[in-house]
Amino acid sequence: MANEANGKKEMLVFTELLDSVIIDVASECHRAARLGLDPRLNVDEEEEIRVSMEARAMAEDPDNGGKYTVDLFGQSHPAVASDIFNCMNCGRSVVAGRFAPHLEKCTGKVF
């Protein structure tokens, strides 16, 4: 019994240390990338500006209906998700794009 409690404590300490190390490494990598200290990340500034200008042009395109429906990787997504889910509370079928508002009304909770 005491051995099991010690095992749980050891696992808790281990996960805390692991989380701390992961956060430290991630923040240092982010800092190096942000400040341009990592020579492996050669980002061409002209290419970055060109891609940014293309994205702005697409966002302002009147044929696009004022909605930007192409993501960073050039994939298009519908304005409203069309997957259908069953409500956990009332069992009704609800389109994914309307699921959160339906759940608020159905449960009577406003988040």
Side-chain angles (χ1 to χ4, degrees), residues 100 103-104 107-111:
L103 200 57
E104 284 180 358
T107 59
K109 297 179 181 177
V110 178
F111 298 101

Side-chain angles (χ1 to χ4, degrees), residues 10 18 28 30 33 41 45 49 53 56 60 69 73 77 80 84 86 88 92-93 100 109-110:
E10 290 170 357
L18 183 62
E28 283 298 317
H30 175 71
L41 298 174
E45 193 171 324
I49 292 171
M53 295 299 286
R56 283 191 185 128
E60 295 169 357
T69 58
F73 304 105
H77 301 281
V80 176
I84 297 176
N86 291 326
M88 299 166 280
R92 288 179 49 193
S93 296
K109 297 179 181 177
V110 178

Side-chain angles (χ1 to χ4, degrees), residues 49-106:
I49 292 171
R50 183 187 65 76
V51 170
S52 175
M53 295 299 286
E54 285 178 6
R56 283 191 185 128
M58 290 175 73
E60 295 169 357
D61 185 12
D63 294 335
N64 203 8
K67 294 183 180 178
Y68 189 66
T69 58
V70 178
D71 68 7
L72 179 67
F73 304 105
Q75 299 173 343
S76 62
H77 301 281
V80 176
S82 57
D83 295 338
I84 297 176
F85 294 96
N86 291 326
C87 177
M88 299 166 280
N89 194 35
C90 68
R92 288 179 49 193
S93 296
V94 182
V95 178
R98 298 289 309 152
F99 188 71
H102 166 78
L103 200 57
E104 284 180 358
K105 289 180 183 177
C106 188

